[in-house]
Amino acid sequence: MNKLCFSTYVQGNHQWYIPIYIYSVFKSYPEVPILLFCNGNLKEDVKKSLNLLDGFCDFRIVENYFNKWNIFPASKRWFIESKYLLNYDYVYIGDIDYFIIKEDYHLFEQHIEHCKTINRPYSN
């Protein structure tokens, strides 16, 4: 399998979804790292919850991301700087409030096949 990564952008009260999102990815695809970008600092309660997951799965959160950029909030996840993604062959950019459930046919394989079928570097 190629180098894979789950990623998304988080802002405001959506921070409360971070621990359960990370847990859902870990339970479904424990071999795939998670890279999240957060507008502002993490709330203390969220940090405490994340401490429970530390060491169980591979995740990284970049805080204060896009604070100075004037981009429509819902589109910020599509403007992640490539320097963060260079270590991966494929990145699944999703929503923080969608939980990841393991499927019989690996989620990334589905999208990789779709990319090949439509002859595009993305699958939506």
Side-chain angles (χ1 to χ4, degrees), residues 22 33-37 57-62 83-84 88:
I22 291 173
I34 305 156
L35 178 58
L36 304 178
F37 298 87
C57 54
D58 184 6
F59 69 90
R60 177 179 172 210
I61 300 174
V62 178
K83 69 180 183 181
Y84 290 101
Y88 309 106

Side-chain angles (χ1 to χ4, degrees), residues 54 65 87 94 102 110-111:
D54 194 29
Y65 195 74
N87 291 329
K102 187 169 186 161
Q110 293 176 42
H111 287 283

Side-chain angles (χ1 to χ4, degrees), residues 3-19:
K3 290 195 252 176
L4 312 172
C5 178
F6 282 92
S7 183
T8 193
Y9 177 77
V10 184
Q11 61 184 21
N13 287 330
H14 281 85
Q15 280 193 26
W16 302 114
Y17 290 103
I18 293 173

Side-chain angles (χ1 to χ4, degrees), residues 89-122:
D89 295 328
Y90 297 97
V91 179
Y92 182 91
I93 301 173
D95 294 316
I96 193 67
D97 57 351
Y98 279 45
F99 305 128
I100 304 300
I101 306 298
K102 187 169 186 161
E103 302 180 38
D104 292 335
Y105 190 54
H106 198 285
L107 179 62
F108 280 87
E109 290 301 323
Q110 293 176 42
H111 287 283
I112 293 167
E113 288 300 316
H114 185 244
C115 289
K116 291 175 184 175
T117 300
I118 64 172
N119 197 27
R120 299 281 185 257
Y122 58 85

Side-chain angles (χ1 to χ4, degrees), residues 15-16 18-19 41-54 59 61 63:
Q15 280 193 26
W16 302 114
I18 293 173
N41 292 314
L42 288 173
K43 298 175 192 294
E44 287 303 315
D45 287 347
V46 174
K47 286 182 182 180
K48 288 179 185 176
S49 296
L50 290 172
N51 286 337
L52 298 172
L53 297 172
D54 194 29
F59 69 90
I61 300 174
E63 295 181 74

